[in-house]
Amino acid sequence: EVRVIAGYVEGLARDDLVALAGKAREKKKPLVLMKVGASAAGARASLAHTGNLVGNDAAYAAAFRQFGIVRPQSVDELLDFSHVLAISPLPRGTGAGIITISGGAGILMADWCEASGLDVVPLAADTVNRLKPVLPWFATPANPLDTTGRPLWDAGMLEQAITAVAADPGVNIVLVYVGLAPGPAVRIANEILAGARAAQGKPVLVCWLPENEASAHASLRQASLPVFTEPVRMV
């Protein structure tokens, strides 16, 4: 029943780390380990706390990269990474497709994608052609895709946008920013669900600010779509 293995680590012998990483990879279960004691003060505290000599942090960082171990920097990240990896498909690459009803949020998310190792890839020509008749005339079919606020009253537009971007061969992860949608919340949720079903196994994450229609958020979570209330946290 276990989908992801998460933990807090002060010290771990090299052989134990290699064995753990190999077994997790064999079972296709992601490892999310918050390794502490990177600083001199933290290392001294670890020695006093559990008697662990934490070792050279650069060596741990290199080993984590080599074995594909996710290293969160906070308890919030530990829980967020574990949650997403437990309920979403694993991405097959680092190409991120951003769909947003807010141009400003799209820029913010693009900045953090680059900082986080995700590639905001240019959309393929077929995707651009598919999006042109969907978008209003003043919107640009690009990545990030700013749909403007039109999906709030134009039924079907958000579903078509998600479906088109998810089908792009360069996109491995779809990030959807809704913002506030208190009126058409249930319809918007249904469109996101339809788009996610058409994503052919690519993970779809949603950022939706808190609003009055709690059932809309609940319907996404029940369908194993991670929902966040802050765009940087989603990235």
Side-chain angles (χ1 to χ4, degrees), residues 80-164:
D80 286 346
F81 287 145
S82 302
H83 173 63
V84 172
L85 290 168
I87 68 173
S88 289
L90 293 178
R92 300 186 184 94
T94 59
I98 298 172
I99 301 167
T100 174
I101 68 168
S102 161
I107 298 167
L108 175 65
M109 291 160 63
D111 286 347
W112 277 92
C113 280
E114 185 171 307
S116 304
L118 293 174
D119 301 309
V120 184
V121 293
L123 297 178
D126 287 347
T127 308
V128 171
N129 291 333
R130 189 173 176 180
L131 286 168
K132 282 180 179 178
V134 174
L135 298 172
W137 64 268
F138 50 86
T140 303
N143 190 15
L145 178 64
D146 179 8
T147 64
T148 74
R150 187 161 176 168
L152 298 180
W153 67 86
D154 189 348
M157 181 181 172
L158 187 58
E159 176 186 344
Q160 294 177 70
I162 295 172
T163 301

Side-chain angles (χ1 to χ4, degrees), residues 142-199:
N143 190 15
L145 178 64
D146 179 8
T147 64
T148 74
R150 187 161 176 168
L152 298 180
W153 67 86
D154 189 348
M157 181 181 172
L158 187 58
E159 176 186 344
Q160 294 177 70
I162 295 172
T163 301
V165 171
D168 190 291
V171 171
N172 308 109
I173 305 163
V174 182
L175 304 173
V176 181
Y177 178 87
V178 176
L180 286 168
V186 173
R187 172 179 62 76
I188 291 292
N190 288 334
E191 291 193 29
I192 294 172
L193 288 170
R197 284 193 292 268

